[in-house]
Amino acid sequence: MAKINTKITDGVHKFTLPIPYDTGSANCYLIEGDKGYTIIDTGANTEEAKWLWKMELEGKLPVEKVIITHIHPDHMGLASWFQERYGTPVWISTQGYEELLKMRSLFKDGQYEDPIRALSPYHGGPVLPKRKDLYFLYHDFLFEPDRLFSNHEKIPIGNDFYEAIWTPGHSPDHYCFYQHDKHILFVGDHILNDMNPIILTKQQGENPLKQYFATLDPLERLAADYVLPGHGQLIDDLRGRIGKMRAHYRKRLDQTFQSVDRKGKTAYEVAKSVYGSIQSHDRAMSAFIQVITNLEYLESLGCIKKEEELGKAFFILAIEEE
Ligand SMILES: [Zn+2]
């Protein structure tokens, strides 16, 4: 594994922890201040991560507080452990707290009630089983935050104030943090260097791609010398990277659009024509959900129409022939 603690600039360290998910590792950040470290994101709730944090913090500054970019388990999994072991206050956003409460309500009777289950038949997909395998994540969502912050609030991180910038898309509660004088920007999973952030609809009525594109514009204009993501390598050229990501999502939107016809198809039918047959169930499902996300976005632009018939949604080309 690559080096675990990397100095980024004076008083700012990247702390990379292994996580039991596809991305392989998560970046947490330690920012020094007179009152101790502010930690941005904790990594996932694993024994290995706890051990690595203990080793890292042993004999060093106290931990002043933990701030969470978004409440996905690979970023906030150890929030309650920090509260219990070190008495560390945990700060999350107002949107993060809403998500936390919503997530808690989805774990019932030893199972996770994935909202995607309701979405799948509506879009012509299969009836999905309830998830018992994700129940272990329930206790990650049980902590109570000590402080909430909201959009554009200036919050202390180390000895500086950072602007908390609400950037929904990857998750409804995602935040970036920006230091206006030092040009340091923490971007969580909003902008990644080595992969394209996952932007997926989770339930009816969401249009995360629309939110995502809207939040890229103001970020692109920021002067940023250090752009620090939640996974992978630092981003050297913020504007260049945003341009590449936009091109990636546009290409996928275009593929989806090309598969819509004048007769109307369900999202599941569109996914099959875009991706062909996909062997693994998980991959097929994420391709399907990706297509739902793309179709909802294209519909919001007016390129396609959505019509409902017998509780199912059909997408139809909206552009009239000459
Ligand atoms: Zn992540």
Side-chain angles (χ1 to χ4, degrees), residues 19 21 23 25-27 41 69-70 72-75 170 174 188-189 192 230-231:
I19 53 170
Y21 305 105
T23 36
S25 64
N27 298 332
D41 286 349
T69 57
H70 60 302
H72 283 175
D74 53 334
H75 298 268
H170 173 69
H174 196 286
D189 285 1
L192 300 173
H231 303 276

Side-chain angles (χ1 to χ4, degrees), residues 4 50 53 71 73 111 117 143 157 160 176 191 194 220 287 300-301:
I4 204 165
K50 289 180 199 171
W53 272 123
I71 59 128
Q111 301 182 105
R117 290 185 68 240
F143 71 96
I157 296 179
D160 297 305
C176 296
I191 299 164
D194 313 328
E220 206 171 23
S300 73
L301 296 183

Side-chain angles (χ1 to χ4, degrees), residues 60-273:
K60 296 234 185 108
L61 296 176
V63 184
E64 184 197 334
K65 63 180 170 299
V66 163
I67 295 181
I68 303 294
T69 57
H70 60 302
I71 59 128
H72 283 175
D74 53 334
H75 298 268
M76 64 71 182
L78 289 176
S80 58
W81 180 76
F82 269 97
Q83 284 178 327
E84 283 156 30
R85 181 177 169 95
Y86 297 102
T88 309
V90 173
W91 294 30
I92 67 174
S93 66
T94 46
Q95 293 86 348
Y97 193 48
E98 282 168 29
E99 280 298 297
L100 193 75
L101 298 178
K102 195 157 81 188
M103 286 303 292
R104 275 184 211 163
S105 72
L106 296 173
F107 290 90
K108 267 188 218 114
D109 307 324
Q111 301 182 105
Y112 172 59
E113 290 266 9
D114 195 335
I116 291 293
R117 290 185 68 240
L119 217 52
S120 180
Y122 175 70
H123 285 291
V127 175
L128 302 168
K130 292 191 180 185
R131 304 283 305 256
K132 282 199 175 78
D133 57 325
L134 293 177
Y135 194 75
F136 74 97
L137 291 171
Y138 178 48
H139 58 261
D140 286 5
F141 294 96
L142 293 180
F143 71 96
E144 279 300 310
D146 298 275
R147 162 86 144 82
L148 301 179
F149 57 84
S150 49
N151 197 15
H152 301 307
E153 192 176 332
K154 298 269 172 33
I155 58 174
I157 296 179
N159 289 333
D160 297 305
F161 278 88
Y162 282 68
E163 183 181 350
I165 307 171
W166 184 38
T167 50
H170 173 69
S171 67
D173 64 317
H174 196 286
Y175 267 74
C176 296
F177 305 106
Y178 181 58
Q179 216 299 320
H180 284 259
D181 302 317
K182 294 186 176 168
H183 298 172
I184 301 172
L185 178 63
F186 293 96
V187 288
D189 285 1
H190 195 60
I191 299 164
L192 300 173
N193 193 51
D194 313 328
M195 65 198 107
N196 293 295
I198 296 168
I199 315 291
L200 294 176
T201 290
K202 300 266 163 39
Q203 59 196 335
Q204 195 74 34
E206 282 186 348
N207 192 347
L209 265 181
K210 189 175 181 182
Q211 290 185 304
Y212 186 69
F213 288 138
T215 51
L216 287 178
D217 295 338
L219 281 193
E220 206 171 23
R221 290 194 285 272
L222 297 179
D225 297 329
Y226 302 97
V227 183
L228 310 173
H231 303 276
Q233 300 299 314
L234 267 57
I235 295 147
D236 291 330
D237 170 14
L238 177 64
R239 248 160 250 146
R241 183 64 196 133
I242 289 178
K244 278 192 183 142
M245 292 188 338
R246 275 211 185 91
H248 163 83
Y249 295 112
R250 265 193 211 124
K251 192 173 154 208
R252 290 219 295 213
L253 282 165
D254 199 46
Q255 282 176 331
T256 303
F257 180 67
Q258 297 298 332
S259 299
V260 180
D261 59 25
R262 270 168 238 284
K263 284 185 288 186
K265 283 179 181 172
T266 65
Y268 198 65
E269 287 165 338
V270 174
K272 278 198 283 189
S273 56

